[in-house]
Amino acid sequence: MKRDINYHERSHYYSTKFMRSSKAVGVLWGIFTMCYSILAIVVFLQDQWIGDSDNSKGPGNFGIWRWCTDSQDGREICRGRLDDFGTILSPAFRAATVFTGLACIISILCVVAFILFFMCRSSDVFKICGSMQFLSGICLAIGILSFPAGWDNEEVRGVCGPMADDYKLGTCGIRWGFVLAVIAFFDSIILGCLALTLATKKLKFLEEPAYMNPSSMYQGEINPGFLGDNMSLAGSRKSAGLQPVMLMPHGPQDDRYSEYSHPTARSNQSPYRTGPQVHHNFQL
């Protein structure tokens, strides 16, 4: 029937739709992966994780490895270098620098791994990149959690006041760099889950019906040319539940009629009487 979609056409339709949607999601995943790498680099380089507020003792802002304060003449003085870890304020800031830097490096390697799409199966590449994104997110989370442990440093207290302590900002406030780091962490986790989903999701074909299977023994299950009101007369043996029989006429049998019913010589000469009739009984 026209309204019934052929099984192979339906499978082709769903497989084509699945491939198109998978490619679209994969492209979006690649774009957001590059955005995450940019976010991680910006978070690592910025010194706007925490900073002064209206109630602070003085102006200043701090990052994980670099901090800036204002001098007496109003000029901004920034200190802290990556090539000299001794210039970083505290061990907690050093740990945050190391793990955040690892998160940046892993995110960059994940973007470089896009080249593997030309050499390996896409599912394997998605698994590799998804694992790297999870690892990058874990490193970034450790950096985020390590950073507040260094707020008890004297340089931080010089800006945020004596109330500043581990995981206590005092009179300072959270800046956009810290918020961006938290957003980047959730971004990495979401991208990792999406990559592993794309790597493990496969197209499942519908089971082919029995009457469309070429190996089926009932080749005449559907016979629209000989269908009656409720079943086929000469079509499906499966639906009718009949066994094939041979149609043969019955042989001669003894006449069991009354002797008065036998034809006589006079009745044979009747013009209204036809020739001998032969009765055949057939078995269906």
Side-chain angles (χ1 to χ4, degrees):
M1 300 176 66
K2 293 184 179 180
R3 62 182 180 181
D4 295 334
I5 304 176
N6 185 273
Y7 170 77
H8 298 287
E9 294 178 354
R10 186 167 64 250
S11 300
H12 178 71
Y13 168 75
Y14 285 120
S15 62
T16 303
K17 185 177 180 180
F18 173 81
M19 292 300 297
R20 288 179 179 176
S21 60
S22 297
K23 288 181 180 179
V25 175
V27 171
L28 291 177
W29 171 84
I31 294 174
F32 284 110
T33 298
M34 291 187 286
C35 293
Y36 166 70
S37 299
I38 296 174
L39 287 179
I41 294 173
V42 171
V43 165
F44 180 75
L45 296 178
Q46 283 298 319
D47 54 11
Q48 296 290 334
W49 283 52
I50 59 174
D52 61 273
S53 62
D54 296 337
N55 299 325
S56 298
K57 294 177 60 176
N61 50 272
F62 299 87
I64 54 177
W65 58 273
R66 187 170 181 263
W67 80 99
C68 300
T69 56
D70 290 346
S71 61
Q72 295 180 353
D73 56 0
R75 298 177 60 185
E76 187 179 53
I77 301 175
C78 296
R79 285 163 287 184
R81 297 187 308 174
L82 288 175
D83 57 351
D84 186 4
F85 267 45
T87 60
I88 300 177
L89 287 178
S90 65
F93 282 17
R94 297 187 189 104
T97 301
V98 170
F99 284 103
T100 306
L102 287 175
C104 293
I105 295 173
I106 295 173
S107 65
I108 295 173
L109 292 177
C110 184
V111 175
V112 176
F114 287 175
I115 303 175
L116 297 177
F117 279 109
F118 300 100
M119 298 178 289
C120 304
R121 294 187 305 175
S122 60
S123 59
D124 296 335
V125 180
F126 279 126
K127 290 179 182 179
I128 294 173
C129 292
S131 302
M132 294 174 68
Q133 286 172 337
F134 274 121
L135 183 60
S136 177
I138 292 173
C139 291
L140 186 58
I142 295 175
I144 293 172
L145 296 176
S146 299
F147 179 70
W151 291 349
D152 60 344
N153 186 267
E154 292 299 327
E155 292 290 342
V156 178
R157 287 181 174 178
V159 175
C160 300
M163 298 296 295
D165 202 349
D166 294 345
Y167 298 93
K168 294 181 180 179
L169 267 179
T171 58
C172 290
I174 298 293
R175 295 288 179 88
W176 61 270
F178 194 92
V179 176
L180 199 63
V182 175
I183 294 174
F185 163 71
F186 286 107
D187 190 16
S188 66
I189 299 301
I190 294 173
L191 290 174
C193 294
L194 182 58
L196 294 181
T197 301
L198 292 173
T200 56
K201 190 173 183 181
K202 296 181 181 179
L203 181 64
K204 295 182 179 180
F205 290 96
L206 298 175
E207 184 178 357
E208 186 176 2
Y211 64 83
M212 301 189 69
N213 189 355
S215 61
S216 177
M217 62 179 293
Y218 300 105
Q219 302 294 336
E221 182 172 353
I222 297 179
N223 192 349
F226 296 93
L227 287 176
D229 294 333
N230 55 358
M231 67 177 61
S232 171
L233 294 179
S236 175
R237 295 189 299 272
K238 178 182 177 182
S239 59
L242 299 177
Q243 297 297 328
V245 296
M246 182 177 296
L247 305 180
M248 295 292 293
H250 289 282
Q253 296 180 352
D254 296 336
D255 193 356
R256 301 179 186 272
Y257 295 101
S258 172
E259 60 180 355
Y260 298 100
S261 63
H262 288 285
T264 61
R266 183 177 179 181
S267 63
N268 288 336
Q269 298 176 359
S270 176
Y272 299 100
R273 183 174 182 83
T274 59
Q277 298 180 357
V278 180
H279 297 277
H280 297 280
N281 295 325
F282 294 90
Q283 178 183 0
L284 295 179

